[in-house]
Amino acid sequence: MTLPATIKKMRPSRAEPSVPARNRSRLVILGSSKVGKTAIVSRFLTGRFEDAYTPTVEDFHRKFYSIRGQLYQLDILDTAGRQPFPAMRRLSILTGDVFILVFSLDNRESFEEAQRLRQQILDTKSCLRSKPGGRRDVPLVLCGNKGDRDLHREVQPAEVRRLLGAGPARCAYFEVSAKRNSSLEPMFRALFAMAGLPGEMSPGLHRRLSAPHGEALHQALRAGRQPRAGPGGALGVVAPFARRPSVHSDLLCVRAQAGGRAKHRERCVIS
């Protein structure tokens, strides 16, 4: 799918606002083809649903927030359902902070692929340095999309519960419908809570700015000014013309997360 370009009328920004590293996160969306990954991203960014399907190669989006006097940046990587380069998928996982695994409730093969991807995420992230005193947690949500097609269901809730009960990893599960925009809001809230991110990042908890107001917010943020957030206390704007960081910069990020120690470098080889 191609996202509705509500922000195309905005002029290119000369520079993006500077966000502290601790307030920058990357959300990676994974799953088989035609399960609705891009539709979920579209709902998150614009509130819209596009029924036309266009295969995703890899889409990158960036959203800035002003929340309680602090700036936050959320990068969103919408990955291809069929990744011809396994090394790129591994790199996406290594650089991801939070994950949404999408499968279609009317497609058993997509559920089986989600199981494989879940294990790949856990195995891949295990090569990075653990938190002091324990393992590294991976905030992850399993998302059964197309909940509006109950008559064609091929995956039962009991099967998902058995999957989530296997292994130590935290993982929430939601059945959603991107088409009807149902259950997406609680899913995002749960994901951000698991990651320790502000709940206001969820679409329903901040004021989403239109293109003209978004440009004004960009100018204020670039100038270091805190905009007036209004009654809700939080604002969000999609960055126009955002570009995916280079592979080189992602590799440097992985090296830094691995701590530079030899055993971690060996386990985190991108191949």
Side-chain angles (χ1 to χ4, degrees), residues 206-227:
H206 66 270
R207 184 156 65 93
R208 186 164 46 207
L209 298 184
S210 62
H213 291 93
E215 178 63 18
L217 175 61
H218 272 293
Q219 293 176 0
L221 294 177
R222 289 197 302 271
R225 302 192 306 271
Q226 286 296 328

Side-chain angles (χ1 to χ4, degrees), residues 142-187:
L142 185 63
C143 172
N145 190 29
K146 304 186 181 181
D148 49 292
R149 300 183 180 183
D150 286 341
L151 294 178
H152 304 284
R153 175 187 285 265
E154 293 188 4
V155 181
Q156 302 302 322
E159 298 177 85
V160 181
R161 287 195 294 269
R162 285 195 295 269
L163 171 64
L164 299 185
R170 292 186 304 155
C171 181
Y173 173 60
F174 289 86
E175 293 189 356
V176 310
S177 170
K179 184 175 183 177
R180 294 179 179 173
N181 198 23
S182 64
S183 299
L184 290 174
E185 183 73 25
M187 181 189 74

Side-chain angles (χ1 to χ4, degrees), residues 28-39:
V28 180
I29 318 287
L30 294 160
S32 299
S33 301
K34 300 182 181 180
V35 296
K37 299 186 298 297
T38 301

Side-chain angles (χ1 to χ4, degrees), residues 21-27 73-76 97-98 197:
R22 67 179 182 277
N23 291 351
R24 297 196 298 262
S25 301
R26 179 178 289 186
L27 167 61
Q73 173 184 313
L74 181 67
D75 290 347
I76 302 173
D97 300 298
V98 291
L197 297 172

Side-chain angles (χ1 to χ4, degrees), residues 94-115:
L94 283 168
T95 56
D97 300 298
V98 291
F99 298 86
I100 297 178
L101 279 179
V102 185
F103 69 93
S104 179
L105 291 167
D106 64 354
N107 186 322
R108 171 161 294 279
E109 289 184 3
S110 71
F111 176 60
E112 294 170 352
E113 174 66 7
Q115 296 181 60

